[in-house]
Amino acid sequence: IINLKEPGIYMIESKLKQYFGFEKLRKGQSEVIHHILNGDSAAAIFPTGAGKSLCYQLPALFLPHLTLVISPLLALIKDQLDFLHSKGISAASIDSTQERVSMQQVMQRARNGELKILMISVERLKNERFRQFISQIPISLLVVDEAHCISEWGHNFRPDYLKLPYYRQQLNIPQVLLLTATATSNVIEDMCGKFGIHQDAITVTGFYRSNLTLDVLPCIEEQKFEQLLQLINRSKHAPTIVYVTLQNTAETIADRLKNSGIQAIAYHAGLDNEYRESIQRKFMQGLTTCIVATIAFGMGIDKSDIRQVIHYDLPKSIENYAQEIGRSGRDGQRSTCTILANADNVNVLENFIFGDTPDKCSIEYVVDQIYSSEGDWEFSINQLSSESNIRTLPLKTLLVYLELNNVIESKYSYYASYKFKFIDDAKTIIDRFQGERRSFVETIFQCSPQAKIWCSIDFDALWLTYSADRKRVIAAVDYFHEKGWIELESKQTIDVYKVLSKEAIKHALVDNIFELFSQKEKNEILRIQQMLDFFQSEQCLSHSLAHYFSDGYAPTLCHHCSVCAGKVAKFPERKQVPIDINDVKNWIKPYQEANLSPLSTKALGRFLCGITTPLSIKLKAKRMIGFGKLEAYPFNAIINILDEMN
């Protein structure tokens, strides 16, 4: 551990200049690095582009062991690695896109102590083979990027993040660093509480950025493209990101811009990974100046001269808005952030939320599965999602709620099947071992019947014939795989939970959990209303935005937003054609007939609003005439109509 008193400061500044080319640390960075190098856990809440990553990259050069970084997106990991490699820092990642040889090399470097930084996604920790490997590596620091994902108060809650405090304990990691750009005071308190981070070790640098002009430009839907065209032309083809909600909107708007002489490219999650990477490269290199993108674009995009961010559609929340505009003007030069605003597509944002609230009968189905299990409860998340008609993410949230109610306890995950094919022949591999280990390896191969090429490991047979523990078998074949003697594949993750209690009254438990989801739904809908109120606020937009993120130092009047310019936004009224109940009856009839049991009102509402669920996929609902027929209408208005029909 380094004491930051002299000569520690000199050593840090020396490394800072040697590796990163900076003379001094930015505001906030010094405090965070001080906490880490003095052995404390810490949290850094800095605005996008304010240098959060340096808060672990620089300490990693001093810490004795590995720095393990949890990052939410592969694209973000890749960008960080490219940067670290360019600075001569020993860093790597392990992810699902890697070839076997590449992954083996990374793991060997980690074992040899040659890596300073290893980057993974949070899902990687659910992989029993990875946990087996990483448990053997001493780790100095766990870094959680986008740490707001651990909080249900946050705008991007991810249940898998809730397990990070448990993994930290299991891997005996002494320190944690939490990083985020978008955390309200509730989120900060929640995420730091989960990791036991002291208040004194939380650094909030402030959210206000004096070089960003925030403009809200109200316009009806039919006028939006013309306004967009004017904004882009006015900027003299400076680097621009146009954000939209849906993938097909990205394609449509990019095509229309190209037809109007603008060099625009669509970017969204539905595109091939390689193609998306090429788009990013072109934008970073200045070969294209305009990207029309969904929220899939932006994580890890560190282009300093983005002069304009335009929201063609409403963002998902104030947090998303803040994150997206934060990608502009990182060089400190004046940049403009404009939203072409109306409330026409608010229901599209709301429908994302309504699709994630399970029906009460779906929750009851999962509870029944638990109560009817003998011993541990084992399941495949995808199969359970399909059977219960609960999307994967809310299903994971449901499991967390059941854990909090002491009904179940997560034990581990494993792959249902392991198979391998020989690269070296079996005898050559066996001959590399002596005594008991040789017998063990022979038994593994004997209990792995071979089809044409692939051998499937029979764990039951191994236990019966050799009392071979599953963990030891996996460690052995993983070792063979790393050495290049076999090629190993594992498929279908099975989650295993211990059933703690079946004593809770089922209907009370189901009602309680359904109420939690309902409250979460209300909170998310309220978040959208807060966003609408923000864009139509009479207060300075820069001040209001900073205040939302607990920044009490922003000026009351910024003099560089549309409100300060005297243009308070008022959204155009939404006009909708009345709905004919007879039409509704005809639209839902095929969906009702396709399902064996009666459908809930909300299930029918999701069908009419075009909200995809496991059930709608199973019944091929998209082929039915009524699917999405009322997607332009508020979900609750549709529910009211369906209730009247009953």
Side-chain angles (χ1 to χ4, degrees):
I1 300 298
I2 291 177
N3 191 320
L4 284 200
K5 294 174 181 175
E6 295 290 348
I9 291 275
Y10 171 77
M11 293 171 64
I12 286 170
E13 289 185 349
S14 174
K15 291 273 191 192
L16 181 67
K17 187 169 185 180
Q18 177 188 347
Y19 283 93
F20 300 97
F22 301 137
E23 296 289 339
K24 296 284 183 185
L25 292 167
R26 290 187 195 176
K27 176 187 175 184
Q29 290 176 330
S30 180
E31 293 89 331
V32 176
I33 291 169
H34 172 96
H35 288 300
I36 296 301
L37 292 183
N38 280 288
D40 300 321
S41 290
I45 294 87
F46 297 176
T48 302
K52 293 186 295 296
S53 299
L54 192 69
C55 292
Y56 74 82
Q57 291 167 348
L58 185 58
L61 300 174
F62 293 94
L63 295 171
H65 304 303
L66 186 70
T67 292
L68 181 66
V69 182
I70 308 295
S71 194
L73 288 175
L74 287 177
L76 186 57
I77 290 173
K78 184 182 183 304
D79 290 339
Q80 290 286 329
L81 286 180
D82 288 345
F83 173 78
L84 289 165
H85 293 160
S86 74
K87 302 301 180 186
I89 297 170
S90 177
S93 69
I94 291 178
D95 64 68
S96 56
T97 66
Q98 286 172 314
E99 297 290 333
R100 175 177 60 85
V101 174
S102 173
M103 193 177 292
Q104 285 172 357
Q105 289 171 345
V106 171
M107 293 166 83
Q108 195 56 53
R109 288 173 66 200
R111 282 200 182 94
N112 295 344
E114 297 168 11
L115 282 181
K116 295 306 294 179
I117 296 171
L118 178 64
M119 305 188 77
I120 60 169
S121 69
V122 67
E123 290 79 13
R124 177 61 45 178
L125 285 165
K126 295 174 74 175
N127 182 315
E128 67 179 330
R129 288 165 62 189
F130 177 78
R131 289 203 311 274
Q132 171 73 21
F133 151 72
I134 201 67
S135 64
Q136 304 164 37
I137 311 296
I139 301 170
S140 290
L141 176 66
L142 174 67
V143 180
V144 184
D145 201 6
E146 305 296 332
H148 58 268
C149 293
I150 199 172
S151 174
E152 286 187 270
W153 292 96
H155 67 291
N156 193 21
F157 171 60
R158 289 173 66 171
D160 284 334
Y161 267 64
L162 283 177
K163 295 182 181 177
L164 287 174
Y166 167 79
Y167 290 134
R168 176 212 179 173
Q169 187 179 25
Q170 292 298 302
L171 296 172
N172 198 28
I173 304 173
Q175 289 176 261
V176 178
L177 173 61
L178 306 183
L179 305 175
T180 181
T182 49
T184 61
S185 55
N186 281 336
V187 171
I188 294 169
E189 183 181 346
D190 191 21
M191 69 186 195
C192 291
K194 286 181 167 71
F195 286 98
I197 295 174
H198 196 270
Q199 182 69 35
D200 294 344
I202 302 170
T203 304
V204 183
T205 60
F207 199 85
Y208 173 66
R209 288 181 61 193
S210 60
N211 65 315
L212 297 189
T213 297
L214 308 185
D215 273 340
V216 181
L217 189 58
C219 56
I220 62 172
E221 200 66 23
E222 291 75 19
Q223 294 174 345
K224 276 166 63 172
F225 183 76
E226 197 55 45
Q227 292 279 9
L228 175 66
L229 206 53
Q230 287 179 27
L231 289 169
I232 294 175
N233 283 326
R234 196 184 304 159
S235 69
K236 298 179 181 177
H237 304 289
T240 298
I241 304 174
V242 180
Y243 279 109
V244 298
T245 303
L246 303 174
Q247 293 180 7
N248 63 345
T249 309
E251 298 280 357
T252 302
I253 298 303
D255 287 343
R256 290 183 70 183
L257 286 172
K258 278 186 276 191
N259 292 336
S260 301
I262 305 293
Q263 190 185 42
I265 301 179
Y267 183 105
H268 55 76
L271 298 172
D272 174 77
N273 280 339
E274 203 170 306
Y275 180 58
R276 279 169 31 191
E277 286 180 14
S278 74
I279 294 171
Q280 276 190 217
R281 279 196 303 272
K282 286 179 182 177
F283 186 63
M284 296 296 287
Q285 294 166 6
L287 300 176
T288 187
T289 56
C290 182
I291 301 290
V292 185
T294 61
I295 57 171
F297 184 80
M299 280 286 190
I301 299 298
D302 195 14
K303 185 173 172 63
S304 64
D305 63 342
I306 296 172
R307 294 275 73 87
Q308 189 164 216
V309 169
I310 303 168
H311 281 87
Y312 190 82
D313 294 325
L314 288 172
K316 289 177 69 176
S317 64
I318 295 177
E319 287 89 342
N320 284 87
Y321 172 73
Q323 203 168 47
E324 288 152 16
I325 65 171
R327 291 172 186 131
S328 63
R330 292 188 179 183
D331 55 6
Q333 300 300 308
R334 177 65 62 193
S335 301
T336 305
C337 307
T338 308
I339 178 162
L340 304 174
N342 62 52
D344 286 14
N345 294 317
V346 167
N347 54 289
V348 175
L349 297 177
E350 291 179 342
N351 285 351
F352 284 122
I353 297 164
F354 291 123
D356 277 348
T357 304
D359 291 333
K360 193 178 286 189
C361 61
S362 296
I363 297 170
E364 188 172 358
Y365 177 87
V366 174
V367 173
D368 281 339
Q369 294 299 302
I370 296 167
Y371 279 22
S372 63
S373 64
E374 297 293 335
D376 289 339
W377 179 46
E378 300 190 11
F379 61 90
S380 155
I381 194 81
N382 291 330
Q383 185 178 345
L384 186 60
S385 170
S386 177
E387 291 172 351
S388 64
N389 191 31
I390 304 176
R391 288 177 175 176
T392 306
L393 182 60
L395 179 55
K396 290 177 181 178
T397 306
L398 169 59
L399 297 173
V400 171
Y401 287 156
L402 288 166
E403 286 194 78
L404 294 173
N405 276 273
N406 295 315
V407 175
I408 54 174
E409 181 183 87
S410 176
K411 290 182 71 175
Y412 56 89
S413 298
Y414 68 89
Y415 286 109
S417 65
Y418 280 82
K419 64 179 185 178
F420 62 87
K421 64 180 179 182
F422 289 105
I423 295 173
D424 289 357
D425 63 78
K427 186 177 184 304
T428 302
I429 298 171
I430 292 166
D431 286 346
R432 293 185 172 112
F433 299 93
Q434 301 297 324
E436 188 274 337
R437 293 176 75 191
R438 180 187 177 95
S439 299
F440 176 57
V441 174
E442 281 181 324
T443 308
I444 291 175
F445 293 158
Q446 287 166 6
C447 294
S448 301
Q450 186 170 5
K452 288 184 179 178
I453 298 173
W454 291 91
C455 305
S456 297
I457 302 175
D458 187 337
F459 290 100
D460 291 337
L462 275 160
W463 177 254
L464 289 170
T465 59
Y466 201 86
S467 297
D469 176 75
R470 179 188 177 90
K471 193 173 181 180
R472 187 187 178 193
V473 175
I474 292 167
V477 293
D478 221 16
Y479 177 75
F480 302 161
H481 174 74
E482 283 181 45
K483 288 293 185 183
W485 303 341
I486 63 171
E487 184 177 331
L488 184 64
E489 279 192 4
S490 45
K491 289 185 177 180
Q492 193 188 4
T493 303
I494 301 294
D495 291 300
V496 181
Y497 282 75
K498 181 181 180 181
V499 180
L500 298 177
S501 171
K502 300 179 184 180
E503 294 176 4
I505 300 169
K506 188 178 74 172
H507 69 81
L509 177 65
V510 171
D511 286 348
N512 177 38
I513 292 175
F514 180 70
E515 181 54 37
L516 288 170
F517 274 108
S518 299
Q519 190 56 53
K520 191 170 186 296
E521 179 182 277
K522 287 173 187 171
N523 291 342
E524 293 297 318
I525 296 297
L526 177 62
R527 196 190 296 278
I528 291 176
Q529 188 57 52
Q530 286 177 316
M531 180 181 67
L532 297 176
D533 292 343
F534 164 70
F535 288 130
Q536 298 176 94
S537 171
E538 295 180 3
Q539 291 188 323
C540 166
L541 295 175
S542 299
H543 177 81
S544 297
L545 190 62
H547 179 74
Y548 184 81
F549 291 109
S550 306
D551 178 1
Y553 300 102
T556 307
L557 298 173
C558 70
H559 303 294
H560 50 83
C561 75
S562 49
V563 172
C564 286
K567 297 180 289 184
V568 174
K570 180 68 177 171
F571 289 1
E573 291 288 327
R574 284 195 281 178
K575 295 178 182 177
Q576 290 172 328
V577 177
I579 299 168
D580 188 316
I581 287 181
N582 289 322
D583 286 340
V584 174
K585 288 177 180 176
N586 290 330
W587 290 332
I588 64 175
K589 190 177 179 182
Y591 194 52
Q592 289 173 311
E593 291 175 347
N595 200 48
L596 296 175
S597 55
L599 292 163
S600 70
T601 302
K602 288 196 172 180
L604 293 171
R606 288 191 283 267
F607 168 77
L608 289 167
C609 288
I611 301 171
T612 304
T613 64
L615 179 65
S616 68
I617 293 169
K618 194 188 301 183
L619 299 181
K620 299 181 172 58
K622 283 190 176 181
R623 298 180 185 177
M624 299 175 189
I625 189 170
F627 184 80
K629 209 68 173 173
L630 298 177
E631 64 182 352
Y633 293 78
F635 182 78
N636 284 330
I638 305 305
I639 296 302
N640 290 338
I641 290 170
L642 291 166
D643 282 339
E644 287 173 17
M645 288 167 49
N646 289 335

